[in-house]
Amino acid sequence: GAGLYRFENGSWTNFGSAAGLTHRYIWSVSFDAAGRVWAGTWGSGVFVQDGARFRAPPGLENLSALVPALYPTTHGMYIGTGTGLLKYQNGAATWLVRKPALPSLDIRAVVEADDGTVWFGSSGGRMDCPVISFSASISNRTARFGSAPSAAA
């Protein structure tokens, strides 16, 4: 890992430990509604741009998970991790779905539909999880994804 790079006005700038990124393996990058850069790492959580430096967002200083997915919305940031899906809003992080309740929850992609429904992709097999919609409160319904386990012969 060589850190985070920016190409601007014909030249490259590297952001590494001197800029506050304590992990050199950057797995995801996104902008938030305020135009700040967010960087998800291979195992040291997530960092957000604070001027010329990066820092862990308030409330996520102790996140040590893999962060392969970042998705900004007008109301915050969805953070897909190796252990579940976080919603970050106004300085507070909320786990929407998380291991160990679900057997395979390595979130690799996140997107929100116009109606507020959140879709996410994982790198595992079947899982049962709450149906997530932020157009209303989180539902108690359960959606089942993947194929049913095969019966023993």
Side-chain angles (χ1 to χ4, degrees):
L4 180 67
Y5 284 86
R6 177 184 66 204
F7 185 72
E8 182 178 47
N9 299 323
S11 65
W12 291 95
T13 303
N14 175 260
F15 297 89
S17 58
L21 290 171
T22 59
H23 202 290
R24 307 271 306 160
Y25 289 95
I26 305 301
W27 218 9
S28 56
V29 178
S30 188
F31 286 98
D32 65 13
R36 299 176 303 171
V37 175
W38 287 62
T41 69
W42 178 258
S44 291
V46 65
F47 294 85
V48 64
Q49 184 182 15
D50 185 7
R53 297 191 46 80
F54 287 82
R55 62 174 173 74
L60 294 176
E61 297 90 350
N62 295 320
L63 181 66
S64 60
L66 307 172
V67 180
L70 294 167
Y71 184 78
T73 69
T74 56
H75 53 78
M77 180 74 69
Y78 292 110
I79 303 169
T81 76
T83 57
L85 179 63
L86 279 164
K87 178 185 176 191
Y88 186 80
Q89 183 177 4
N90 299 325
T94 304
W95 285 101
L96 302 178
V97 288
R98 186 176 190 187
K99 282 182 182 175
L102 303 174
S104 178
L105 204 51
D106 183 1
I107 305 297
R108 300 289 178 102
V110 183
V111 68
E112 183 180 66
D114 290 341
D115 68 358
T117 301
V118 176
W119 291 82
F120 59 91
S122 73
S123 67
R126 177 183 169 164
M127 65 180 172
D128 295 339
C129 66
V131 174
I132 302 168
S133 174
F134 294 106
S135 56
S137 61
I138 295 178
S139 171
N140 289 330
R141 297 175 296 146
T142 298
R144 180 163 288 163
F145 301 95
S147 58
S150 58

